Amino acid sequence: TNTLLAKYNRTMNQPHIQELTRLMNAWTKELEERKQSHPMVSSLGWTKDGFHYGGKIYNKDGSDTPAFIKDQNFHDTFSPHGDIGPWQQCANHILSQPRHAVWCILAAAFASPLVTFTGSVGAILSVVSRDTGTGKSTAMRVAQAVWGNPQGGMLAVDATDNAVAHRLGTLTHLPAYWDEVREKDEVQKFIKTIFRIAQGIEKQRLTSSIQERAVGKWELMLTVASNEAMRDHIEQVGGSSDAGMARVYEIYAAPIKDESMDDATARHFYSKASKNYGCAGAEYAAWLAQNEASAKDLVNKIEQGLAKALMTTSDERFWLTTMSTLLAGAFLANKIGICKFNVPELKT
């Protein structure tokens, strides 16, 4: 201790060193006791006791319990920051415009935790436009901000398969967003990942001690924004266009000019989502934990209604999952007062 303090022209006598040592030992013991008294978790989303998000397990009785996640960087990215108000302004401005495709991007943030109620291992939403000015990227950032930092929460285009699988395994039930998939090779790389995502499990790997590492599982909605239609590449990459397209619900975003603000004003306006994120997710997580049965009943009711109205077949189950959870998520976001979806128009 004195060697370190000497660098700063400070020293301590032996009684002071003993006192410091006592305090440090007591502090270390308290930290260890706190760590042991709170659950250590490796993923986000539903737990047997409620819903884990942002360093808390939101319990069914309305209380919450501190919970540690092993990956500190992940915790920092997917935790509430700032205030929900500025984020709501961004979200409701998007929802006030007739941009139905980008409504789905935002709805996916609330749909993802509901996928588990459908019996499907995952849902994939593809939003396509070859034109600029559709608002896809803006909506992706605002949607990502429901649960996490838009700047670090989205999947990177150059992410490896293992990195993608690990991210999905840690998110588990929270949504994943993959923006800026533009080039042909990027689209084809994404399609190769689709078939792994549809299985809902991260591939097994061995640890450095030659033990089998625990695999991550997920039941979530992955949303991808691209300039290239998935259907144009799936047969070439996947070998079966029917099997591939059955896993992807693809919609097209038309270019619509936002007349209410110019580009510079819009960039400043939507930047609020980068400073105020995760607060909507915290409210949603708390509600879901206390109302799991109601959320499940809603999803099942919508799913059954759509299946009957559209006379869907078994090979359309992924599309049915995506539509049902998008509508249910939008409905619940309205019900809780998080944002304002036009659910009847979205359904149409």
Side-chain angles (χ1 to χ4, degrees):
T1 303
N2 269 334
T3 302
L4 177 62
L5 291 174
K7 295 181 180 180
Y8 303 94
N9 296 320
R10 296 290 187 272
T11 58
M12 295 180 68
N13 58 33
Q14 191 60 32
H16 289 162
I17 292 177
Q18 291 175 347
E19 179 65 13
L20 177 61
T21 301
R22 187 189 66 79
L23 290 172
M24 293 300 293
N25 287 339
W27 185 39
T28 302
K29 182 179 179 181
E30 182 178 347
L31 290 176
E32 286 298 323
E33 290 175 349
R34 288 184 182 181
K35 186 176 180 180
Q36 292 172 8
S37 66
H38 300 317
M40 177 69 75
V41 293
S42 59
S43 60
L44 303 177
W46 293 103
T47 71
K48 63 182 179 66
D49 299 315
F51 199 98
H52 174 231
Y53 171 68
K56 297 178 181 179
I57 293 178
Y58 293 92
N59 300 312
K60 298 176 182 179
D61 63 2
S63 64
D64 59 73
T65 305
F68 292 95
I69 193 165
K70 296 177 181 178
D71 188 332
Q72 184 61 42
N73 290 332
F74 203 91
H75 169 80
D76 293 341
T77 299
F78 291 93
S79 291
H81 181 85
D83 183 71
I84 194 173
W87 176 86
Q88 287 177 315
Q89 293 174 11
C90 296
N92 288 330
H93 185 73
I94 291 173
L95 297 175
S96 70
Q97 304 170 50
R99 300 171 182 252
H100 305 116
V102 298
W103 291 3
C104 290
I105 295 174
L106 192 54
F110 304 99
S112 189
L114 308 177
V115 170
T116 189
F117 300 139
T118 68
S120 175
V121 295
I124 301 171
L125 172 66
S126 171
V127 182
V128 182
S129 176
R130 293 183 173 87
D131 302 305
T132 60
T134 57
K136 298 195 309 292
S137 294
T138 298
M140 292 280 274
R141 290 192 294 273
V142 175
Q144 177 63 68
V146 171
W147 296 101
N149 189 336
Q151 296 176 329
M154 283 193 281
L155 290 163
V157 173
D158 58 354
T160 65
D161 284 353
N162 286 337
V164 172
H166 177 67
R167 170 61 64 89
L168 300 184
T170 308
L171 288 171
T172 312
H173 301 112
L174 268 59
Y177 288 95
W178 202 333
D179 195 14
E180 302 297 333
V181 181
R182 298 180 179 275
E183 304 299 329
K184 177 180 178 180
D185 59 337
E186 293 172 355
V187 175
Q188 294 182 351
K189 176 186 175 182
F190 171 79
I191 293 169
K192 291 177 181 177
T193 307
I194 285 174
F195 297 95
R196 289 180 60 188
I197 294 170
Q199 295 175 358
I201 188 168
E202 182 182 358
K203 72 177 183 179
Q204 294 181 338
R205 299 208 307 264
L206 298 181
T207 66
S208 57
S209 59
I210 319 299
Q211 296 176 333
E212 190 174 276
R213 184 178 63 79
V215 295
K217 297 181 180 180
W218 54 83
E219 295 172 315
L220 52 73
M221 184 172 292
L222 169 60
T223 302
V224 57
S226 174
N227 291 354
E228 295 273 342
M230 299 290 123
R231 67 173 63 250
D232 294 343
H233 298 281
I234 282 180
E235 185 172 7
Q236 177 182 351
V237 174
S240 169
S241 80
D242 289 341
M245 283 310 300
R247 288 169 168 79
V248 183
Y249 187 79
E250 192 157 71
I251 56 179
Y252 292 82
I256 302 175
K257 177 66 176 176
D258 183 357
E259 301 292 346
S260 65
M261 60 181 75
D262 57 35
D263 290 345
T265 303
R267 284 194 298 272
H268 177 73
F269 176 77
Y270 287 115
S271 69
K272 292 182 288 189
S274 297
K275 301 179 181 67
N276 299 275
Y277 55 82
C279 302
E283 286 197 16
Y284 194 44
W287 188 92
L288 288 173
Q290 297 176 65
N291 299 275
E292 179 179 355
S294 297
K296 183 177 182 179
D297 289 345
L298 175 66
V299 172
N300 292 339
K301 181 179 179 181
I302 293 175
E303 189 173 30
Q304 291 169 9
L306 287 177
K308 182 178 180 179
L310 300 174
M311 295 182 289
T312 57
T313 57
S314 60
D315 60 340
E316 295 171 331
R317 64 188 183 280
F318 289 99
W319 295 353
L320 184 61
T321 289
T322 307
M323 289 188 291
S324 302
T325 52
L326 285 173
L327 288 171
F331 177 88
L332 291 179
N334 284 2
K335 177 183 177 68
I336 302 167
I338 295 176
C339 52
K340 302 174 182 177
F341 284 94
N342 186 330
V343 177
E345 192 166 337
L346 182 63
K347 182 177 180 180
T348 299

